[in-house]
Amino acid sequence: MPPITNWRRESRSPTLAYRNTETSARAVLHRTPDSYRYKWRGAILVDGYPVWSRGYETKDATPFRDELRERPAPALRCPECPNDDVRVGEKAADGAKIQRWYDCPDCGYEAPSHIVYGAER
């Protein structure tokens, strides 16, 4: 199997964790609480905030590693201007769902992220 571009494995157990060599982002496949629909959740964290998340039935690492191959360098960049220092705002909770807000200090662009925890759509 080809190596995962820009991701280095940090641990295998009890979670499967990777760190991006360029951006220092983390990717973690971890056990979820019993109330969640899927028993395992993979998440990519940039500066401690989840920017991508997906539920899995089992701890099969192959789909998670495939996702990391598709996302070699996660970053928070503004789509409106060349600023690559986008701030993550406060979270907004709607029931069991958590959503993050992104804010660009240069041009004022503000947008919600996709829902990273909660029910799958």
Side-chain angles (χ1 to χ4, degrees):
M1 183 170 280
I4 302 172
T5 307
N6 297 337
W7 292 96
R8 186 183 73 244
R9 187 174 54 230
E10 289 187 324
S11 69
R12 290 183 187 208
S13 179
T15 62
L16 182 61
Y18 291 87
R19 177 147 325 255
N20 189 283
T21 56
E22 292 181 356
T23 62
S24 296
R26 294 185 66 228
V28 180
L29 181 65
H30 62 96
R31 181 89 169 142
T32 61
D34 291 336
S35 61
Y36 279 57
R37 179 178 170 188
Y38 294 105
K39 296 303 170 199
W40 291 91
R41 177 144 308 261
I44 296 177
L45 307 159
V46 175
D47 295 330
Y49 293 99
V51 296
W52 173 86
S53 180
R54 182 174 168 205
Y56 297 97
E57 292 291 332
T58 64
K59 192 184 177 181
D60 183 15
T62 304
F64 184 60
R65 285 192 304 253
D66 290 345
E67 188 65 42
L68 294 181
R69 282 188 185 89
E70 293 175 12
R71 301 170 183 272
L76 296 177
R77 291 194 170 91
C78 180
E80 301 291 323
C81 70
N83 184 16
D84 62 351
D85 186 30
V86 175
R87 295 180 296 195
V88 179
E90 296 180 13
K91 62 184 178 181
D94 179 22
K97 298 178 182 178
I98 297 175
Q99 192 168 20
R100 301 281 180 191
W101 291 84
Y102 300 119
D103 175 35
C104 177
D106 288 350
C107 69
Y109 175 80
E110 186 176 295
S113 72
H114 62 288
I115 293 176
V116 292
Y117 292 111
E120 298 286 329
R121 286 202 251 175

